[in-house]
Amino acid sequence: MIKLMVFIDGTWLYSNLRHLAKECNQPSFYIDYGLLPQRIIEELERTAGIRNTDLVRTFLFGSYPVNYDLVDEDRARKRKDFFSLLREDYHYEVEAYPIDYQRHRILYDDRVPDNSFSPKEKCVDIALASSMLYHAAISGSYDIAIAVVGDKDYFPLFQKVRSLGKRVAVASIQQSCAKVYSNRHDELKLKDFHIIWLNDLLDKIVWTPEESLVECKSPLHIGPSQMTTTVRLRGGQPFFCDECRLKFADQKAEQLREYTSSETESKPEECDARFHSYHEGVIENLIPDRGFGFIKRADGASFFFHVTHLTNIEWEALQPGAKTRFTIIREPAGAKAGAVGEVTLISDEE
Ligand SMILES: [Zn+2]
């Protein structure tokens, strides 16, 4: 049995999907991450003539935004949901690192034209390298490492992994692959197989949406609330239709302006552990007809939350005094509350 481990540079892959979309003439292209590792392995088996492989582990290294413009909450939330999907449904090992947006918009196109802010991604390549090398040094851990990458920085890693007696395969995207990997002669001795192009696997790795019947749980919903969607809901997460999401966004922007600490210049050191760890507190009060409320943390600080921040409970079932665990996007300042990222109800058994 030949043991394989797959190491995906998630940030690189995510930001280069547009090339694959262009190639299949689609406005967007989504990968079916449930299929991806196995499809790459099948291609490796086919082209290298190897058999009897066993996929031992799949790692994905990525990043998620913190300290962003609160308008982008939905976008940030989707990234976290995506990582949960990978972990829970596809058994990936996800290592994700925060990127401090210093309160700017997440997408480049959403920032004003003269905005020179450029987010600094941290740790992703080092984390991938550490992991691949760490496992290479453990005997019996894997025989072949498959790297799904495009940036050239990884070449010293592949040399080291090979010097430990492991074999290296690279899967990449033609339009975004460093020459050191695609070079036929492989002068730097980086890999043991021909490069695998995701471009050749498009129809095998494309995500095809499946429709399911859901009910919009928004108190603002108008009309029949049952509908079909291709959105995949995470365990216990309520569904809100697009129309209600838009209404929520407006409502939330207004409420955030009114109740939470205002925009101030953030210091780089502000993006510390507080923004990527969990906090605990109790529901302080609820404004039922307006879909928001406040949570009091143990130190007495108050945080604004909106119905869309709840991950495992419906608004109607929420009671003051309920225990919650939450992430934060902003600390309170002056008389104004802080802002939460997502709120999970803690059951009494915990
Ligand atoms: Zn709705």
Side-chain angles (χ1 to χ4, degrees), residues 4-6 36-46 50 53-56 146 196 201:
L4 304 177
M5 283 195 193
V6 176
L36 181 69
Q38 204 53 48
R39 294 292 178 261
I40 292 175
I41 290 169
E42 285 163 15
E43 186 67 6
L44 183 68
E45 291 180 329
R46 195 182 68 79
I50 50 173
T53 58
D54 179 24
L55 171 61
V56 197
I146 301 178
I196 296 163
L201 305 178

Side-chain angles (χ1 to χ4, degrees), residues 216 221 241 244:
C216 178
H221 190 85
C241 71
C244 287

